[in-house]
Amino acid sequence: MTKRITEDELIARLIRAGELEVSGEDPAEAATYFDTEKFRFHGPDGFESGFAGLDAYFAAIRDAFDDRSIRRGIIVADGDHLACQTWIEGTFVREFTHSPVGPLAPNGERVVFDLINIFRFDEQGRLVEEWVRTDNRSLLRQMGAEGR
């Protein structure tokens, strides 16, 4: 008989996966929280990606921002789906190659990525799908790209 993963375990896995992606501390461990073959990312403005694209996006964040952190706000669990608020913060000190408008030069400011996420997990507790919504205008304003 297969053990059912509880919603609390899924929440703990979600939090740890985010911490690892933002810190870059252990890429091999981070990958264990995903079904790296089947994972699908659905982002703002129709952006679609697999695990490699998501991993590259977080690498670009790590390259561009110092003093990074991630926080999860309200988390709502419903079976194999979790929805939550997420804030990723960092000081913008090097070029960010993955902005919504292309590469941006750093401005030295503290930037907050303010996100609403929905995640779907498989029966093994691995992330298989993520939907993200964010205010790109606010993000671009913080990075000094307002009006681009």
Side-chain angles (χ1 to χ4, degrees), residues 1-134:
M1 183 171 183
T2 304
K3 177 187 176 256
R4 166 90 171 106
I5 295 183
T6 68
E7 290 174 349
D8 286 344
E9 289 170 319
L10 292 179
I11 291 169
R13 291 179 62 76
L14 173 66
I15 290 169
R16 182 64 179 151
E19 290 169 347
L20 289 169
E21 286 289 357
V22 169
S23 72
E25 157 191 348
D26 189 340
E29 181 187 348
T32 68
Y33 291 93
F34 295 83
D35 180 330
T36 57
E37 297 296 318
K38 295 180 182 173
F39 179 80
R40 294 303 308 152
F41 177 87
H42 313 283
D45 198 32
F47 178 78
E48 296 285 325
S49 177
F51 176 73
L54 179 73
D55 206 40
Y57 182 77
F58 276 108
I61 288 175
R62 292 189 303 269
D63 288 346
F65 297 88
D66 283 349
D67 305 315
R68 294 172 312 280
S69 65
I70 183 171
R71 293 179 293 125
R72 303 284 189 186
I74 297 169
I75 299 176
V76 178
D78 184 15
D80 62 355
H81 285 79
L82 297 180
C84 71
Q85 300 168 291
T86 302
W87 296 274
I88 299 170
E89 297 184 42
T91 304
F92 189 18
V93 294
R94 288 172 296 282
E95 182 182 60
F96 183 45
T97 59
H98 284 60
S99 91
V101 295
L104 292 176
N107 64 3
E109 296 295 320
R110 190 82 178 154
V111 173
V112 179
F113 295 71
D114 185 352
L115 312 166
I116 299 292
N117 310 82
I118 299 173
F119 300 93
R120 184 173 65 85
F121 293 82
D122 67 11
E123 62 282 344
Q124 297 167 339
R126 297 176 303 177
L127 287 158
V128 291
E129 204 159 14
E130 177 181 4
W131 295 263
V132 172
R133 293 297 172 256
T134 189

